[in-house]
Amino acid sequence: MTGPYLVADSNTQSVRYTLGTGPVAELAPPLKQITERQFGDSRAARRALLRGEIDAIDRVVPWDVAALESADGITVATYALPTVHVLIPNPRKPLTASRHFRRALCYGIHRQAILDEVILRGRSRPGFVVLSGPFPVGQSIDDPIGAAVDRRIAPYPYEPRLALILATVALREMAAAGAAQPAADATPAAKSDSAAGVTPPLVLAYRAEPLARLACEAIQAHLEIVDIPVTLKPLTAGDLADPLGTADLLYAELAMWEPLVDAQQLLGDGGLAGSTSAYMQLALRQVAEAQNWNELWDALRSVHRVAHDEVAVIPLWQTYNDLAYRSTLQGVGQQPVTLYQNVQRWTNSAPRGN
């Protein structure tokens, strides 16, 4: 929440914002307070909206869209810009620091099947596609949001046999280098597994939200097939300052809408991915030094190529999130970029404590 609203109180389940004072508040948004509630279950959120207990749902899960679109008094709006889903590897862990192992993860996850069967559940929606890199592709080949993508590069295919081979190579290289241990705090059993050529369990962290949970459960099942065991770790409020923490992988949903800035924040020194190769440093430097739009887009496509080759992050898929709200809530806009983009225009004819 931004703008004239300030946090009044909060707990693990909700945050209440009230209208502040001062020059910004003089614009006088009609709503004097807004309360955000956290739902761990998408069905509970949908029922609350239909019953009028809440006024809107941000980020409706894709499998609830059809039911809400057909409900009386409910409007579903698709956000204007896409979300990029990736796995961020922890560079402090020897396994996920290995390019061979990161490629094994790409080949071992049937991303198209997860997108089609788990997320879309058999429905077809434009813009829901498997990715080859960290940048969004948009909804068509001439969509400007995809200008940073080298469209000649195809996503890694599902090749479980190749995933097994690459994981074995990574383990052998670690053993030969005398670093065959997943972390300094690894258990003796995990160290023994790695030295014996058996992949120790990976920890996959994710925000405790329905889509992320189901996607991570599917990823876990796919990697088990190629002998890469995975333990899932839902993030708590205390983990958000350092979400990767001691985990091996982080399931992340990124708004890569400003690639000039976002590329550095994700892939540069000190970025979310945490480690930068000499090739990536050079590609990012070319982005920073670009003198015109053509040079900029060429440099960003070079970043895309390096990220794909090095598997700087494990790209999953692109989605377009949806917002659902009751007809009593006015001023939201037809295709906002974010939930609160037009909050100062919101009015609610069924207010709750406003």
Side-chain angles (χ1 to χ4, degrees), residues 267-339:
L267 304 168
D269 287 331
L272 289 175
S275 179
T276 305
S277 71
Y279 294 107
M280 183 60 75
Q281 289 176 358
L282 175 60
L284 291 171
R285 190 180 310 122
Q286 290 172 340
V287 171
E289 295 174 354
Q291 298 296 310
N292 54 58
W293 287 110
N294 287 336
E295 288 185 6
L296 174 62
W297 296 123
D298 286 344
L300 284 167
R301 293 182 195 113
S302 179
V303 170
H304 177 231
R305 289 191 292 271
V306 174
H308 174 84
D309 182 59
E310 297 184 345
V311 198
V313 296
I314 290 86
L316 297 173
W317 40 75
Q318 170 189 275
T319 63
Y320 277 81
N321 295 323
D322 297 283
L323 158 71
Y325 57 95
R326 297 185 63 82
S327 58
T328 50
L329 182 63
Q330 298 292 314
V332 174
Q334 291 187 343
Q335 200 175 29
V337 174
T338 62
L339 173 63

Side-chain angles (χ1 to χ4, degrees), residues 31-99:
L31 300 185
K32 303 305 178 186
Q33 75 172 25
I34 295 174
T35 300
E36 293 180 348
R37 287 176 55 187
Q38 181 76 27
F39 288 88
D41 182 350
S42 62
R43 291 174 296 181
R46 186 180 70 235
R47 287 195 297 267
L49 181 68
L50 294 174
R51 292 172 181 170
E53 298 169 5
I54 60 176
D55 299 294
I57 299 176
D58 182 27
R59 294 165 54 86
V60 178
V61 292
W63 52 89
D64 279 349
V65 169
L68 290 173
E69 284 178 333
S70 62
D72 291 338
I74 302 295
T75 298
V76 176
T78 300
Y79 286 117
L81 298 176
T83 297
V84 169
H85 300 242
V86 301
L87 297 180
I88 298 178
N90 190 337
R92 300 185 295 270
K93 298 297 187 80
L95 267 179
T96 46
S98 165
R99 184 168 75 99

Side-chain angles (χ1 to χ4, degrees), residues 154-165:
Y156 284 98
Y158 178 55
E159 295 282 357
R161 186 172 301 178
L162 185 53
L164 279 164
I165 294 170

